[in-house]
Amino acid sequence: MDALEEASEQVGVLEQRVAPSPLLARLAVLLAWEGSADTEIDWSALAEAAGHPFPEDYGRYVELFPPGEIGFLKVHHPHRWSAVEDFLTYARNWHAVMNDKAELAGGFPYHFGASPGDLRVWGTVNLDYLLCWHLNEGPPEQWPTVVCDTAMVDPPERYAGTVTELLVDLAEARNPLPVIGYVTEVEGAPYRFSRYE
């Protein structure tokens, strides 16, 4: 069996585990992840506490991948913290810092928070960039990701896909967002999933 057949077989096995998301199964193969998060999240309680729903794609991601990192990229996971409130506070703290920076910089096109129209952080790249959903009027599955420079030097970049689509595009070196394209090229920090211990 050649490498392509073996990878296809791995995707097939993972597709059964993460049905109905073949893209998530592909991501697991690309990131060399064979485990699971072994966790259940009360999404309705989390949405109520956060003040907004969460995209199903993100939900499937955190139910397959436990808290961890992908090289320099981190997807914020509700179980990384000891309580849901800590998970939400982490995002709110980023929102407050970024809103203060935006006010000082002037002219920043977004507000950070959990209300319609706001940017809501879902991940970070080496603490240099925030990965945020733009909580627009559409359903959560259609919220684009906006990448924001935490120093507010680079202008925000928009990506129209889901969390999983962005992670797959990065893993396949498609460079969907040039400002963070370097995450797959950093020597000594492979773009692979590493679980927090």
Side-chain angles (χ1 to χ4, degrees), residues 55-67:
E56 288 179 21
D57 170 79
Y58 170 77
R60 287 190 299 268
Y61 174 90
V62 299
E63 288 171 356
L64 178 63
F65 290 89

Side-chain angles (χ1 to χ4, degrees), residues 18-190:
V18 297
S21 181
L23 189 63
L24 188 60
R26 176 153 182 71
L27 179 64
V29 169
L30 289 167
L31 298 181
W33 176 247
E34 296 178 1
S36 72
D38 296 325
T39 187
E40 288 187 25
I41 295 171
D42 183 344
W43 290 104
S44 57
L46 185 59
E48 184 177 334
H52 62 80
F54 288 83
E56 288 179 21
D57 170 79
Y58 170 77
R60 287 190 299 268
Y61 174 90
V62 299
E63 288 171 356
L64 178 63
F65 290 89
E69 54 192 34
I70 305 166
F72 284 123
L73 191 148
K74 294 171 182 63
V75 175
H76 297 165
H77 195 294
H79 285 171
R80 173 73 169 112
W81 292 268
S82 59
V84 166
E85 189 54 39
D86 295 335
F87 165 71
L88 298 174
T89 297
Y90 185 81
R92 289 178 187 132
N93 288 343
W94 267 117
H95 298 162
V97 166
M98 294 303 289
N99 284 328
D100 288 347
K101 286 183 175 188
E103 186 176 328
L104 290 172
F108 191 74
Y110 298 101
H111 181 267
F112 293 84
S115 298
D118 286 350
L119 294 183
R120 199 285 188 197
V121 65
W122 63 260
T124 58
V125 177
N126 202 31
L127 300 179
D128 295 327
Y129 296 94
L130 297 183
L131 306 172
C132 304
W133 289 299
H134 183 208
L135 308 181
N136 62 28
E137 297 299 323
E141 285 306 305
Q142 294 177 5
W143 290 343
T145 288
V146 176
V147 178
C148 299
D149 178 0
T150 58
M152 297 218 166
V153 174
D154 295 322
E157 287 193 29
R158 189 176 183 278
Y159 176 81
T162 66
V163 169
T164 304
E165 289 168 339
L166 175 58
L167 297 176
V168 166
D169 279 353
L170 287 168
E172 292 181 338
R174 292 191 191 132
N175 201 16
L177 293 162
V179 73
I180 61 167
Y182 72 90
V183 298
T184 59
E185 302 165 2
V186 178
E187 192 172 320

